Amino acid sequence: MHQKVAIITGGAQGIGKAIVRHLLGRGMAVVMADIDREAGRETLAEFKKLGKVRFIPTDVAGESNVRKMVAASVKWFGGIDVLVNNAAVMANAPFDQLRLADWNRVLAVNLTGAFLCAKHAAPYLGKRRGAIINIASTRAFMSEPNTEAYSASKGGLVALTHALAMSLGPQVRVNCISPGWIETASSRKTSARQIPRLSEADHKQHPAGRVGTPDDIAALVDYLVSDAAGFITAANFMVDGGMTRKMIYV
Ligand SMILES: NC(=O)c1ccc[n+]([C@@H]2O[C@H](COP(=O)([O-])OP(=O)(O)OC[C@H]3O[C@@H](n4cnc5c(N)ncnc54)[C@H](O)[C@@H]3O)[C@@H](O)[C@H]2O)c1
């Protein structure tokens, strides 16, 4: 059997980094496609001992960038089995002050980026009965004020998931994970790393009793890309400690 190959966008830090570690642990060869060179180089140095891993600087919002990243992945490792669309940015601002350029950038990275990566990886994924995982957010379904661009991009990603599942099945399964509050301050590059400042109340308000970790998301990615998940496609999974099901009337 061939060694499976995974591309993780935004894989250099945070949740993406945990996904890279989990898939390396599963014996896959992994390509981290991230716009942050400093983070990419640092994570590459950290993970080299875990298996076959490469970093390629990529802006997922640019089609020529994505085309090059996919071609390099195939050249390095011979094909693609898994694509995780995880890269994202936020531009929160009062609705009436949100600049069109910022709205467009958030949509371009978070939604168009996933479309471009899927488009260029699909021919290779199809040859290997591959899987795509889109990392959306509970903000696709619920909101705080002043989050229009991010929420809209994530809502679009949930819809893109079921559309792609219809177009690419049965060769490629496409699923979505919507994380809730995941603590990532401690898994950023060294120059941006912070000690998490989580209060008792932050944890306690979750029906699961705690804030989430990147490993909570990576563990589900691990399962969804495995053969055991062969009947699961076009689905969205809330991984939020129960917060989206909690009534909060005061
Ligand atoms: N952390 C949370 O609480 C949370 C909650 C819900 C959803 N999410 C989602 O999970 C995913 C990961 O979040 P995170 O908290 O780890 O974020 P993060 O900011 O720690 O990491 C995102 C990574 O994406 C990279 N990136 C940004 N723009 C890019 C681009 N144009 N091309 C390629 N790479 C790019 C960044 O350099 C970074 O390494 C995102 O899709 C985010 O929306 C996170």
Side-chain angles (χ1 to χ4, degrees):
M1 224 182 59
H2 71 268
Q3 182 179 31
K4 288 196 172 178
V5 179
I7 294 172
I8 320 298
T9 72
Q13 302 178 90
I15 293 170
K17 183 177 174 182
I19 296 170
V20 171
R21 187 167 19 77
H22 274 244
L23 297 188
L24 283 170
R26 187 173 260 282
M28 294 190 192
V30 178
V31 176
M32 295 184 286
D34 201 297
I35 201 168
D36 189 323
R37 288 168 191 263
E38 182 189 343
R41 290 191 191 121
E42 190 178 297
T43 301
L44 181 66
E46 185 183 335
F47 283 175
K48 256 185 173 165
K49 57 182 178 298
L50 301 182
K52 284 190 195 166
V53 55
R54 295 272 194 153
F55 165 61
I56 180 161
T58 310
D59 179 354
V60 295
E63 187 159 23
S64 62
N65 263 243
V66 170
R67 198 184 282 116
K68 274 187 211 151
M69 180 273 288
V70 167
S73 304
V74 172
K75 188 166 159 245
W76 287 328
F77 297 129
I80 306 169
D81 298 86
V82 170
L83 166 67
V84 183
N85 287 310
N86 165 79
V89 291
M90 268 190 171
N92 295 342
F95 171 61
D96 55 357
Q97 289 163 38
L98 180 65
R99 296 181 321 137
L100 178 59
D102 293 333
W103 165 273
N104 283 340
R105 179 67 184 162
V106 172
L107 270 289
V109 174
N110 300 8
L111 181 56
T112 310
F115 158 69
L116 290 174
C117 291
K119 178 182 167 190
H120 290 282
Y124 301 100
L125 290 164
K127 283 184 201 159
R128 294 190 172 187
R129 291 196 87 80
I132 297 176
I133 309 291
N134 294 323
I135 307 296
S137 169
T138 50
R139 288 173 189 267
F141 305 96
M142 62 197 304
S143 289
E144 289 174 311
N146 307 325
T147 59
E148 278 72 19
Y150 184 82
S151 299
S153 73
K154 295 300 188 177
L157 196 53
V158 173
L160 178 66
T161 301
H162 57 71
L164 282 174
M166 299 307 123
S167 303
L168 301 180
Q171 288 83 7
V172 183
R173 293 182 299 109
V174 188
N175 289 296
C176 186
I177 299 174
S178 290
W181 182 352
I182 307 295
E183 191 289 301
T184 53
S186 55
S187 55
R188 294 189 193 288
K189 61 184 175 182
T190 310
S191 62
R193 199 164 294 162
Q194 288 168 2
I195 297 165
R197 293 186 203 290
L198 296 173
S199 69
E200 180 101 341
D202 293 338
H203 290 298
K204 266 198 168 162
Q205 67 183 302
H206 288 77
R210 64 170 175 83
V211 168
T213 67
D215 282 330
D216 291 324
I217 307 304
L220 182 56
V221 172
D222 214 3
Y223 174 70
L224 287 174
V225 304
S226 74
D227 292 341
F231 194 52
I232 304 175
T233 193
N236 173 61
F237 296 86
M238 300 287 203
V239 183
D240 65 348
M243 283 301 278
T244 47
R245 288 295 187 192
K246 184 177 172 182
M247 284 190 180
I248 55 164
Y249 303 118
V250 177

